[in-house]
Amino acid sequence: LPWQAALGCRAAQVLMQYCILANHYWFLVEAVYLYKLLIGAVFSEKNYYRLYLYLGWGTPVVFVVPWMAAKYLKENADHGGGAGLCVPLPCLSSQINLLIFMRILKVILAKLRANQKGYADYKLRLAKATLTLIPLFGIHEVVFIFATDEQTTGILRYVKVFFTLFLNSFQGFLVAVLYCFANKEVKSEMKKKWQLWKLDH
């Protein structure tokens, strides 16, 4: 039935917008968590796991619910014309992430400089740390955050679309490779599990 198709389409649109925002706010959770690990003196030892869950999964609801209401009211005012409304861009999370990113780089640089004799290649290590933090924090989002679809035209629009789609599509894989599969502790644990499994079988 047509009304069922329209309802399914709207539900899919709402879910998509929610997932996009959840992605941004989980970037923020990752940034806050890493900052907490590096600068532990600022925080107490309290477990923030539940707070992280609320921030990552709950904050997008604060944006999506008003967006749904505004879209519904606008469509009714337009007599079903379906005039598009954009969900508010998660500028706040991206800006906070950028500030945390800069603060963490400052801490890493200070630690590398303090151990400069032990790390002769500290500039290379800083560059590596910077490049690995960019996908984890979603810093690539900041580059095009103010370049909206209406403002970008021609080649710039294609560049924006390509980088946004490419980085968003492979971001989870890149983070998994850098922080899981390439991690020495993870590889050591996987090796132990593999050896135990071979002994059992």
Side-chain angles (χ1 to χ4, degrees):
L1 293 174
W3 67 270
Q4 287 176 325
L7 187 64
C9 184
R10 287 179 183 178
Q13 192 178 20
V14 169
L15 182 63
M16 183 188 76
Q17 297 293 351
Y18 174 81
C19 290
I20 289 169
L21 286 173
N23 185 44
H24 280 82
Y25 280 93
W26 275 105
F27 288 155
L28 180 58
V29 169
E30 290 164 352
V32 170
Y33 180 72
L34 186 58
Y35 189 78
K36 178 184 176 295
L37 289 177
L38 283 173
I39 312 181
V42 178
F43 297 89
S44 66
E45 291 299 316
K46 185 181 173 184
N47 187 356
Y48 284 89
Y49 181 70
R50 186 170 291 184
L51 182 64
Y52 294 149
L53 288 176
Y54 289 145
L55 181 60
W57 295 120
T59 310
V61 176
V62 176
F63 290 97
V64 172
V65 170
W67 171 77
M68 279 172 39
K71 189 166 177 62
Y72 177 76
L73 292 171
K74 186 162 180 64
E75 284 180 355
N76 283 350
D78 292 343
H79 304 292
L85 276 175
C86 293
V87 71
L89 279 172
C91 296
L92 181 63
S93 69
S94 296
Q95 289 169 352
I96 294 170
N97 270 8
L98 183 61
L99 292 173
I100 293 173
F101 174 74
M102 290 164 64
R103 177 72 178 132
I104 287 174
L105 285 183
K106 189 177 176 184
V107 171
I108 291 170
L109 180 61
K111 287 184 177 182
L112 289 173
R113 277 186 176 163
N115 298 318
Q116 194 170 348
K117 290 181 181 177
Y119 301 120
D121 60 341
Y122 83 96
K123 288 183 180 178
L124 183 65
R125 285 172 174 264
L126 179 65
K128 186 180 174 184
T130 304
L131 290 173
T132 53
L133 286 175
I134 286 171
L136 183 68
F137 286 9
I139 299 300
H140 60 275
E141 297 282 345
V142 178
V143 176
F144 294 110
I145 199 164
F146 298 110
T148 61
D149 289 339
E150 292 78 17
Q151 292 172 332
T152 52
T153 55
I155 294 173
L156 182 61
R157 186 183 181 96
Y158 289 118
V159 169
K160 179 195 169 186
V161 169
F162 173 78
F163 275 103
T164 303
L165 292 176
F166 179 81
L167 291 169
N168 286 346
S169 298
F170 289 99
Q171 180 184 8
F173 175 73
L174 188 59
V175 168
V177 168
L178 291 172
Y179 293 93
C180 185
F181 303 119
N183 185 291
K184 289 180 183 176
E185 291 174 9
V186 173
K187 286 196 287 188
S188 174
E189 285 299 316
M190 287 176 73
K191 192 175 179 181
K192 285 179 190 174
K193 293 285 183 188
W194 174 248
Q195 288 171 346
L196 285 171
W197 184 84
K198 281 201 302 186
L199 287 171
D200 289 341
H201 294 81

